[in-house]
Amino acid sequence: MTTTDILYQIRDLVVEYNTRAGVLTAVDHVSFDIHRGEVLGLVGESGCGKSTLGKALMRMIQEPGRITGGELWFDGVDLMQLSPGEMRKLRGSRISMIFQDPMTSLNPVQRVVEHITETIRVHEPHVSIKAARARAAELVDRLGINRNRLDDYPHQLSGGMRQRVMISLALALRADLVIADEATTSLDVIVEAQFLDLLKELREEFNLTILLITHSIGLVAELADRVAVMYAGRMAELADIHELFEQPQHPYTRGLLRAVPNIRLEDDELYKMPGSPPDLVSPPSGCRFHPRCPEASEICSRQAPTFHEHRPGHFINCWLYQEQEESVSLEASS
Amino acid sequence: MSPALRRYILVRVLLTIPMVLILVSLVFLVLRVLPGDPALAILREGASEEQLASFRAALGLDKPLHVQYVEFIKGVLRFDFGSSMTRKIPVTQEIKTFFPATVELALASMFVTGVVGVFSGAFAAQHRKSAADYTIRILSILLYSLPIFWLGLMLQMTLGKGAGWFPVSNRLSPGMTPDKIITGMYTVDALLTGNWPLFKDAAWHLILPSITLGLVLAGIFTRLTRANMLDILEQDFITAGRARGLRERTLVYRHGLRNAFIPIVTLLGLQFALLLAGAILTETTFSWPGMGRLVVDRIYDRDFTTVQGAILFFALLVAGISLFVDILYGFLDPRIRY
Ligand SMILES: Nc1ncnc2c1ncn2[C@@H]1O[C@H](COP(=O)(O)OP(=O)(O)OP(=O)(O)O)[C@@H](O)[C@H]1O
Ligand SMILES: [Mg+2]
């Protein structure tokens, strides 16, 4: 990749939930790009808005939530401008999703094969049931499921096989972008390793772009090319995986990496970040991380930094890397 | 059929046997333990001891209870419920004459209940919190609380006698007779013999009674379907289906409803007794010559054997239907196995 080919441009995306306590901003003016052919890891503490962001990319936010702002440029088209019908046609064919729990994500009273054939036929109505079946058989063969299992019901399969079925559904129409939300959380370690190998192979073969949403830094290290770190509904840092692991810049990223076992072996005890993520109905002023930040200064609580490209390809949302220009402007104004 | 499913069905059939035995015993005991002497009731005061004794002997009521019980069971096994006390024909003959009318009414009502209840429930769930949802919910509560005879009378007054669109009593117009009794359900028989005018007449008579009974029962189904569908539409596999680009219609009416069918079929089975009870009330309102009419008429006649036979038949029917519903359940839900 000499010139980066951008598949999906997300600009100023805002997603809000109406809750009893008030309006909860789960995704707050988030902007980033997904490059064609890459695996982009998306990490962050529980509740920081990863799943919400993933669903928003497919315009699948359900009540009481709503996308209240932003642009979603997917392959040159702003998805926010599409009608619900046009949007539906894109789901499953160009952008697809793999969910956390393959047991509950498959219809319990529908055979495996029907899941696949109906997905093929909703997007390609001219395909006969027989032809769709043949394609389904080919697909599951490729994913290492015996085609005899096609007529099984989901509960008759093992967890690993079910997750393979979910992948086959995501790939049935050769989607450009696959969003995997905690896709390995429900699998045991060995099955997870197999799943990762499979994903790596498929990635080459199907020329996939993957948004890998996960809690697991290990999984990201294994698979991702770039990593985006989210904190409290905002992007904290986004960079190439090596750069991010070797030189994490944002204090939150540093804390997050120190809290992962086996990454910083020189630490005797596992680091535990102080404090807990904020309430998103009434988040802290300024930078949302400032109450937990060891390097917070006076400006951090007053004004939010902007998510900007600090170095080529390395985006940061922190006053530590924005100070100069800002202090200049502050001096100028005073 | 998979071996697991076959085993499930076998077990379920075996479990039905003790249940039926208890039912039969209850029917046997109730008419013998309850106060009141059937012989006296039929022959009235003033009958001589001799007359009473010979009456009892004819019905086997003079024998010890356990002997009677064994004979009764033997009879039931041969599907012989004895003969009518007032008419000299077998009780089964009577049932054969009246039962098809009830079945026809019950099936037609079940159809109305199913279509109205399930679709209005699914529609309300799909359009949750819309005006249509609230309207459907209010109507369903209203329907459920209506007495059958009242709704029946209202329909008779408006669409029946009022507008003159539908007949309000009997199964056929005067002068119409079925060419041949095959199932005893006139609409079905007419179709089988290809008698179009007869079919139209029979269906025309069936409409008001089946709407009456069907609507009253539909209220529960609307509510059950809506509640279940709301639950199901929140589930992961619906979201996953949406993420694959499936249409909302497909998600609600194929994926959702198919999952909701399991509790609905169960309720349908459980409500069958209610359906039969409702059929009896409807029959009275619409002078429909079915089992309800038979039982009510024979109670007035003090025809104990016919009443016993009819009740026993109903009990066996409910047991049979619940067995059938359970088996259907096994086919619908691949996860259910013993
Ligand atoms: N349906 C909803 N209604 C109200 N609030 C919601 C809803 N879904 C999510 N939220 C809120 O939005 C915020 C982000 O949730 P989200 O599920 O996107 O987080 P996440 O990063 O995926 O968390 P996890 O790692 O636990 O999956 C949370 O504060 C959550 O409480
Ligand atoms: Mg999540």
Side-chain angles (χ1 to χ4, degrees):
Chain A
M1 255 193 293
T2 41
T3 54
T4 48
D5 183 2
I6 293 172
L7 176 65
Y8 205 155
Q9 269 185 322
I10 293 94
R11 289 295 174 265
D12 279 323
L13 181 68
V14 184
V15 184
E16 293 175 333
Y17 291 105
N18 279 315
T19 68
R20 239 171 259 166
V23 176
L24 182 155
T25 312
V27 173
D28 189 8
H29 295 278
V30 164
S31 303
F32 64 102
D33 296 339
I34 300 176
H35 301 165
R36 203 183 291 274
E38 77 169 341
V39 175
L40 174 62
L42 178 62
V43 297
E45 281 165 295
S46 187
C48 70
K50 304 183 296 293
S51 298
T52 303
L53 176 58
K55 278 190 221 143
L57 296 194
M58 296 183 84
R59 267 184 60 194
M60 291 227 324
I61 301 290
Q62 294 279 112
E63 287 288 307
R66 213 157 63 83
I67 299 180
T68 51
E71 292 167 15
L72 296 172
W73 291 94
F74 178 75
D75 210 10
V77 179
D78 183 5
L79 302 189
M80 292 308 293
Q81 306 303 325
L82 296 186
S83 72
E86 288 167 329
M87 193 57 227
R88 181 187 65 72
K89 286 187 189 137
L90 230 78
R91 293 190 198 113
S93 65
R94 302 211 53 202
I95 309 179
S96 55
M97 199 157 194
I98 305 177
F99 294 85
Q100 173 169 352
D101 188 346
M103 180 70 236
T104 58
S105 302
L106 294 167
N107 184 345
V109 299
Q110 197 182 36
R111 292 174 200 277
V112 167
V113 66
E114 293 169 63
H115 285 86
I116 306 176
T117 53
E118 106 184 314
T119 306
I120 294 176
R121 280 161 50 81
V122 72
H123 294 292
E124 298 176 9
H126 56 277
V127 176
S128 70
I129 293 188
K130 220 173 132 207
R133 245 197 101 92
R135 263 166 72 177
E138 227 169 86
L139 194 61
V140 297
D141 263 356
R142 173 61 198 90
L143 293 185
I145 307 173
N146 191 322
R147 55 172 78 191
N148 297 334
R149 306 303 296 264
L150 272 177
D151 283 317
D152 282 0
Y153 288 96
H155 73 276
Q156 293 170 299
L157 304 179
S158 68
M161 272 199 272
R162 271 180 229 138
Q163 198 53 291
R164 282 162 197 249
V165 171
M166 292 306 292
I167 301 178
S168 71
L169 286 169
L171 299 184
L173 290 131
R174 306 219 157 213
D176 306 86
L177 173 64
V178 174
I179 300 171
D181 190 353
E182 309 276 3
T184 62
T185 312
S186 66
L187 305 178
D188 66 51
V189 188
I190 294 170
V191 179
E192 176 173 356
Q194 291 170 346
F195 178 85
L196 288 186
D197 287 341
L198 180 65
L199 220 52
K200 280 183 202 164
E201 285 173 33
L202 293 173
R203 189 189 160 180
E204 302 296 323
E205 196 176 322
F206 287 75
N207 191 22
L208 288 179
T209 306
I210 302 176
L211 178 65
L212 188 70
I213 301 177
T214 178
H215 280 119
S216 157
I217 302 282
L219 186 63
V220 166
E222 186 78 29
L223 216 57
D225 304 307
R226 295 196 305 149
V227 188
V229 181
M230 252 182 114
Y231 183 77
R234 289 184 184 160
M235 278 291 168
E237 187 166 5
L238 191 159
D240 175 83
I241 179 131
H242 302 292
E243 189 164 330
L244 191 102
F245 279 177
E246 274 151 35
Q247 304 163 8
Q249 308 277 351
H250 198 292
Y252 175 65
T253 314
R254 279 187 241 151
L256 201 65
L257 291 179
R258 278 182 72 194
V260 176
N262 293 332
I263 284 207
R264 304 271 145 155
L265 288 172
E266 62 265 28
D267 281 358
D268 293 334
E269 250 179 77
L270 200 56
Y271 173 79
K272 168 110 178 30
M273 212 183 303
S276 51
D279 165 23
L280 295 179
V281 176
S282 44
S285 59
C287 170
R288 289 179 173 183
F289 187 59
H290 84 261
R292 299 171 77 187
C293 184
E295 297 174 63
S297 58
E298 177 266 341
I299 188 165
C300 300
S301 60
R302 228 173 356 98
Q303 202 178 343
T306 48
F307 187 60
H308 67 287
E309 196 163 11
H310 174 59
R311 275 210 298 263
H314 197 143
F315 296 79
I316 307 177
N317 197 0
C318 177
W319 281 120
L320 289 177
Y321 309 93
Q322 211 178 327
E323 219 156 23
Q324 274 153 357
E325 10 166 348
E326 204 55 39
S327 51
V328 167
S329 63
L330 278 177
E331 271 161 28
S333 64
S334 57
Chain B
M1 210 194 313
S2 68
L5 184 57
R6 215 168 325 179
R7 216 174 68 96
Y8 163 75
I9 293 174
L10 185 72
V11 169
R12 193 56 195 76
V13 169
L14 289 178
L15 283 176
T16 306
I17 294 173
M19 186 175 100
V20 166
L21 210 62
I22 292 172
L23 275 176
V24 170
S25 309
L26 274 178
V27 172
F28 171 83
L29 280 177
V30 162
L31 283 173
R32 278 160 187 81
V33 171
L34 283 184
D37 181 347
L40 206 59
I42 287 281
L43 300 179
R44 308 285 152 122
E45 299 292 330
S48 69
E49 264 315 307
E50 239 167 72
Q51 278 175 308
L52 289 175
S54 73
F55 185 84
R56 288 194 193 104
L59 288 172
L61 293 175
D62 55 339
K63 292 180 193 147
L65 213 55
H66 66 273
V67 178
Q68 283 188 44
Y69 182 66
V70 170
E71 277 177 7
F72 181 70
I73 297 279
K74 275 191 198 156
V76 171
L77 283 179
R78 277 181 279 117
F79 217 69
D80 172 6
F81 298 157
S83 58
S84 161
M85 279 170 153
T86 51
R87 278 134 242 256
K88 300 300 167 209
I89 53 170
V91 172
T92 45
Q93 189 64 47
E94 294 256 72
I95 294 174
K96 228 187 200 159
T97 316
F98 287 85
F99 184 55
T102 301
V103 174
E104 189 173 38
L105 175 60
L107 288 181
S109 309
M110 205 133 96
F111 179 76
V112 172
T113 299
V115 170
V116 173
V118 170
F119 281 97
S120 64
F123 188 84
Q126 187 187 358
H127 302 278
R128 183 185 190 178
K129 288 187 178 166
S130 67
D133 180 26
Y134 288 114
T135 313
I136 289 173
R137 285 167 71 188
I138 291 169
L139 278 179
S140 72
I141 296 170
L142 207 68
L143 280 178
Y144 183 49
S145 50
L146 287 183
I148 288 182
F149 69 86
W150 187 84
L151 182 62
L153 286 177
M154 283 301 131
L155 288 177
Q156 286 182 349
M157 275 163 57
T158 53
L159 302 179
K161 285 171 194 139
W165 292 340
F166 300 102
V168 296
S169 63
N170 286 321
R171 299 176 68 190
L172 291 173
S173 301
M176 282 288 212
T177 43
D179 327 316
K180 204 169 139 202
I181 303 282
I182 304 167
T183 62
M185 292 181 267
Y186 291 168
T187 46
V188 177
D189 288 353
L191 284 180
L192 288 177
T193 55
N195 188 340
W196 189 241
L198 180 72
F199 174 78
K200 275 207 301 210
D201 193 57
W204 192 44
H205 280 77
L206 191 55
I207 286 176
L208 283 192
S210 56
I211 287 184
T212 303
L213 182 52
L215 279 186
V216 168
L217 294 179
I220 324 170
F221 281 85
T222 305
R223 284 149 54 98
L224 178 86
T225 307
R226 181 181 177 276
N228 269 296
M229 286 295 287
L230 283 182
D231 229 40
I232 287 166
L233 293 180
E234 297 264 291
Q235 284 182 22
D236 289 349
F237 69 87
I238 296 288
T239 311
R242 194 172 286 130
R244 295 203 301 277
L246 302 185
R247 295 189 172 82
E248 287 301 310
R249 207 168 0 113
T250 312
L251 291 170
V252 173
Y253 294 99
R254 178 125 52 97
H255 291 247
L257 261 189
R258 175 126 195 247
N259 276 274
F261 261 139
I262 294 155
I264 291 171
V265 169
T266 311
L267 183 73
L268 208 62
L270 293 176
Q271 296 298 320
F272 196 76
L274 202 67
L275 183 71
L276 290 177
I280 289 176
L281 288 175
T282 314
E283 283 173 9
T284 316
T285 311
F286 284 90
S287 314
W288 189 263
M291 290 293 278
R293 272 274 293 281
L294 175 69
V295 173
V296 171
D297 285 358
R298 296 301 178 271
I299 286 176
Y300 285 130
D301 295 349
R302 292 157 196 271
D303 187 339
F304 282 81
T305 42
T306 306
V307 172
Q308 170 183 277
I311 292 173
L312 186 62
F313 180 75
F314 259 53
L316 292 178
L317 189 68
V318 171
I321 294 282
S322 79
L323 174 64
F324 174 76
V325 167
D326 277 1
I327 291 175
L328 196 62
Y329 206 85
F331 276 101
L332 279 179
D333 189 346
R335 287 164 303 183
I336 296 177
R337 296 293 178 265
Y338 268 61

